[in-house]
């Protein structure tokens, strides 16, 4: 997922657009992941990088804090619509947009695939 915090927009995300409601306000970023029924706590990485490759880690209530890493405060809460709301603070130092979040797991399935195999 690529987020531009200045333009307050998603630049890139999976094709089915499950990420929405992006808000950037008071040095905080928040967005929702819509209608998920999978093991959603593993879905979004607990870190992000700016366009220059500087990595930041999001400290959730369940995070194990490791030395020599730059952390920002964050939270994940379930919404009434079976989604998740992610929120995190932006670093106090200057960052370079866009911010990149890697997906650890994505609840999408490939169905109805046929493969021809030549038998010799």
């Amino acid at each position: 997922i690529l987020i531009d915090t200045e333009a307050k927009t998603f630049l890139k995300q999976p094709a089915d657009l499950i990420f929405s409601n992006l808000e950037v306000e008071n040095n905080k970023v928040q967005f929702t992941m819509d209608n998920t029924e999978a093991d959603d706590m593993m879905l979004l990485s607990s870190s992000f990088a700016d366009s220059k490759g500087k990595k930041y880690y999001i400290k959730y209530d369940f995070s194990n804090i490791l030395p020599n890493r730059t952390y920002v405060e964050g939270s994940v809460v379930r919404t009434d619509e079976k989604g998740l709301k992610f929120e995190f603070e932006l670093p106090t130092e200057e960052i370079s947009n866009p911010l990149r979040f890697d997906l650890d797991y994505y609840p999408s399935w490939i169905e109805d695939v046929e493969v021809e195999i030549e038998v010799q």
Side-chain angles (χ1 to χ4, degrees), residues 27-60:
N27 210 38
K28 289 186 181 180
V29 175
Q30 66 180 21
F31 58 90
T32 56
M33 185 175 68
D34 303 323
N35 197 21
T36 62
E37 296 178 14
D39 184 9
D40 24 52
M41 295 309 258
M42 294 179 62
L43 190 64
L44 193 66
S45 174
S46 58
S47 65
F48 62 92
D50 71 5
S51 67
K52 294 181 179 177
K54 173 85 175 173
K55 196 163 190 176
Y56 300 91
Y57 295 85
I58 302 173
K59 185 177 98 175
Y60 299 114

Side-chain angles (χ1 to χ4, degrees), residues 12-35:
K12 191 171 190 180
Q13 67 165 305
D16 53 3
L17 304 175
I18 65 169
F19 298 97
S20 62
N21 303 322
L22 176 64
E23 294 180 26
V24 181
E25 205 171 282
N26 298 324
N27 210 38
K28 289 186 181 180
V29 175
Q30 66 180 21
F31 58 90
T32 56
M33 185 175 68
D34 303 323
N35 197 21

